[in-house]
């Protein structure tokens, strides 16, 4: 069964450092999403891509976060500089229609 | 008012009982509704989707939707310890470009 791939699975970094996460969606899924989930809360959308174009990045803190999906397939989410409050699970999801399927996530700890 | 509301729990039920998880949403124009299960430290896993008023059954799971009351629920029959997890309600709001808004989740504990 096709799955969304993410790496790394865990990342520990110090504040003010740069960090990057990678996502490979299910083959053929045109829409890709990055969510952030803080412990005890539901996932919150950071950015949504349709192919290589950004559809919604209204909740992305653009002073420190950036996301790209250059060829409309895999995607990278970057944080620079990382802050203590960025510690969370970063989830990637993809969809071909309405149903979104999540990858395993990257758990980020900022020290 | 939160856009998608769930009781955080924990909801404790004995093994074999029916677990009832509830969710309300604020946008009356919402079109699609999803239930995800999330084990501790893992990512959300799709359980059910529902789009029309009424009930939708899949094995031990039944999703119920009442758009007039802006209410969606998930029933789990014959609850098993392996059902112990957090259940997230997600709503695809009108005009949202397939953006899902999640509730905070309800923690379910199935006790032996």
């Amino acid at each position: 069964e096709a799955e969304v791939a993410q790496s790394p699975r865990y990342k520990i970094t110090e504040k003010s450092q740069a960090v990057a996460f990678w996502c490979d969606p299910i083959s053929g899924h045109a829409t890709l999403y990055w969510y952030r989930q803080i412990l005890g809360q539901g996932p919150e959308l950071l950015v949504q891509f349709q192919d290589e174009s950004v559809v919604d990045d209204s909740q992305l803190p653009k002073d420190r976060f950036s996301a790209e999906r250059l060829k409309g397939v895999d995607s990278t989410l970057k944080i620079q500089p990382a802050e203590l409050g960025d510690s969370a699970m970063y989830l990637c999801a993809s969809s071909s229609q309405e149903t979104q399927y999540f990858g395993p996530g990257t758990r980020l700890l900022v020290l | 008012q939160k856009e998608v509301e769930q009781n955080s729990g924990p909801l404790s039920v004995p093994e074999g009982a029916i677990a009832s998880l509830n969710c309300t949403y604020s946008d009356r124009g919402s079109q699609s509704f999803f239930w995800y299960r999330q084990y501790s430290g893992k990512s959300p896993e799709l359980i059910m989707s529902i789009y029309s008023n009424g009930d939708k059954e899949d094995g031990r799971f039944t999703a119920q939707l009442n758009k007039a009351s802006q209410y969606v629920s998930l029933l789990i029959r014959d609850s098993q310890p392996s059902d112990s997890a957090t259940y997230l309600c997600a709503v695809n709001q009108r005009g949202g470009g397939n953006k899902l808004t999640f509730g905070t989740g309800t923690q379910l504990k199935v006790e032996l």
Side-chain angles (χ1 to χ4, degrees), chain B:
Chain B
Q1 181 187 9
K2 292 183 179 179
E3 296 178 20
V4 179
E5 293 204 47
Q6 295 181 257
N7 187 322
S8 60
L11 172 66
S12 294
V13 299
E15 185 178 6
I18 296 174
S20 178
L21 305 163
N22 304 316
C23 172
T24 58
Y25 59 94
S26 61
D27 184 355
R28 186 171 291 277
S30 297
Q31 300 293 322
S32 309
F33 307 85
F34 303 86
W35 284 99
Y36 287 85
R37 178 176 63 197
Q38 187 171 29
Y39 292 113
S40 180
K42 303 296 186 182
S43 64
E45 171 192 9
L46 181 70
I47 296 296
M48 296 279 290
S49 60
I50 187 166
Y51 305 95
S52 304
N53 280 329
D55 295 359
K56 179 181 178 182
E57 185 175 322
D58 184 0
R60 296 187 297 112
F61 299 95
T62 299
Q64 299 175 319
L65 175 61
N66 184 327
K67 289 186 177 180
S69 300
Q70 295 173 240
Y71 176 94
V72 58
S73 65
L74 180 70
L75 300 178
I76 307 175
R77 289 181 300 281
D78 189 23
S79 295
Q80 301 297 310
S82 59
D83 295 326
S84 298
T86 295
Y87 289 80
L88 296 164
C89 173
V91 177
N92 187 339
Q93 297 178 312
R94 172 181 46 187
N98 207 36
K99 171 184 174 180
L100 287 181
T101 300
F102 285 83
T104 56
T106 298
Q107 185 183 4
L108 173 67
K109 293 184 176 180
V110 180
E111 299 171 334
L112 296 171

Side-chain angles (χ1 to χ4, degrees), chain A residues 16-21 36 46 64-66 77-83 86 90 108 110:
Chain A
S16 80
Q17 296 298 303
V19 63
F21 313 130
R36 177 171 60 186
L46 292 174
R64 298 186 299 108
F65 286 64
S66 64
L77 178 70
K78 297 179 180 178
I79 308 174
Q80 183 174 18
E83 296 181 353
D86 296 331
Y90 290 82
L108 172 66
V110 182

